[in-house]
Amino acid sequence: MDERGRPPRGADRERRSGRASRAGAFVLRTLRAEWYGMVVDPVRALRRRGPAGLLLALLACGGVIFFHALAQRPAGADVVRILGGVQGDLPLWLALLRTPVSLYVPALDLPVWAGITQLFLAFALAEVTLGRARTLVIAYATTLAGTLTARLMIAMGPGWWGFGLPPEAGQVLDTGPSAAVVGLFTYLAVIRRAPVVFTLTGGSMVWESIAKPNLAGREHLIAVAAAIVLGLLHGRGRRLRRALSRRVPDGEPERDTGSEPPSRPTDPDSAPVRELAGTPVKRRDRAPF
């Protein structure tokens, strides 16, 4: 302390340098953990599984390419619209029936070949990390969340503090795997604790909705929100089942495994006297020595 009771300048510099070093170490640890969680571990898993670990990603890319080539012809465009064309003004049962196929129908206003790379990376990373079944569930759930929320916005009508949409939005073709891709990247970023991937994915969707406020941008935001909720719930069911399996059933007393059972007395004279029907049991006296 100096004459005024303040710490010397050297102590302030050391304190600031210590904070900066701790912050830098935290950033490096976070980036290293994200690198291993998003790149190194999936590559190792892919080496163990071999080319079969990319089957779902290859099928997804092949489906998009197939429907894109089919839509280039007039007759094929009608087939694609019947099989996977989803719009907000369709009946709900028909929209739900076409939603799985709509994942592979590329959007008309987006370049298909530019999205193939993102589609392949998202499905390949999710397949080697989550497995095929969970990858399909997450992709379909995020896409369905965006589709149903868009129908709700159209039903509300314009207004509602910018949440509603005009009826003309119900005639916009709502197809493409973009919502599934965004949902998979966000889900992986949440469960793997990857802030860089999460910021790039969520931030780009927010910027898209601000720069180009259309139906697709809102659906992407809904897909991000749905993926965050699913990511936060990841593993909760398994932990709940484990906790329930450890509980003792009601009505069954807990067993004390730590205490040893009392040993039986070996001396017959030291054994307690039992009573049968209220009459004491007589002992036989020993013969004197």
Side-chain angles (χ1 to χ4, degrees):
M1 295 290 182
D2 56 4
E3 297 178 355
R4 298 182 180 180
R6 296 178 301 180
R9 297 181 177 178
D12 293 339
R13 293 178 180 176
E14 292 179 359
R15 190 180 297 109
R16 288 194 296 267
S17 62
R19 292 176 181 175
S21 62
R22 288 193 296 269
F26 174 75
V27 172
L28 290 178
R29 288 195 304 268
T30 303
L31 293 178
R32 184 177 182 274
E34 182 171 356
W35 171 259
Y36 272 85
M38 300 296 291
V39 179
V40 178
D41 293 341
V43 169
R44 291 175 179 174
L46 182 60
R47 288 180 179 177
R48 292 192 300 267
R49 297 180 59 180
L54 302 176
L55 179 61
L56 190 59
L58 294 175
L59 290 178
C61 294
V64 171
I65 295 174
F66 171 75
F67 280 106
H68 173 71
L70 186 62
Q72 302 304 314
R73 302 177 180 179
D78 295 336
V79 174
V80 172
R81 181 180 56 81
I82 294 173
L83 292 178
V86 177
Q87 296 176 351
D89 56 357
L90 289 177
L92 181 59
W93 66 270
L94 186 57
L96 294 177
L97 187 62
R98 294 181 179 180
T99 298
V101 183
S102 68
L103 291 174
Y104 307 102
V105 178
L108 299 178
D109 56 344
L110 296 178
V112 60
W113 299 109
I116 288 295
T117 304
Q118 299 178 4
L119 177 66
F120 180 81
L121 289 177
F123 274 82
L125 184 60
E127 184 177 0
V128 297
T129 304
L130 307 174
R132 294 173 185 171
R134 183 169 294 180
T135 299
L136 291 175
V137 169
I138 298 301
Y140 182 73
T142 51
T143 302
L144 187 61
T147 301
L148 295 179
T149 307
R151 295 177 65 90
L152 178 61
M153 294 178 182
I154 296 172
M156 293 173 62
W160 296 90
W161 298 281
F163 188 78
L165 290 173
E168 292 78 12
Q171 302 176 0
V172 178
L173 191 62
D174 182 19
T175 58
S178 57
V181 170
V182 171
L184 288 175
F185 274 128
T186 305
Y187 183 85
L188 290 172
V190 172
I191 66 173
R192 290 290 184 172
R193 293 177 174 85
V196 176
V197 176
F198 181 82
T199 303
L200 292 176
T201 305
S204 61
M205 294 302 101
V206 172
W207 173 254
E208 177 191 2
S209 63
I210 295 175
K212 191 177 180 181
N214 54 7
L215 180 63
R218 298 193 182 194
E219 289 189 357
H220 293 166
L221 289 179
I222 298 300
V224 170
I228 292 175
V229 174
L230 294 175
L232 294 177
L233 296 177
H234 175 75
R236 296 294 179 89
R238 183 166 55 252
R239 288 193 291 267
L240 180 60
R241 289 192 299 268
R242 189 182 301 116
L244 292 177
S245 63
R246 292 177 180 177
R247 292 183 56 186
V248 179
D250 297 337
E252 180 180 347
E254 296 184 359
R255 298 178 179 177
D256 189 4
T257 57
S259 61
E260 297 180 356
S263 58
R264 296 181 178 179
T266 55
D267 190 0
D269 292 338
S270 62
V273 179
R274 298 181 180 178
E275 295 182 0
L276 298 176
T279 305
V281 179
K282 297 181 179 180
R283 293 195 185 97
R284 185 176 59 183
D285 297 333
R286 292 183 180 180
F289 290 99

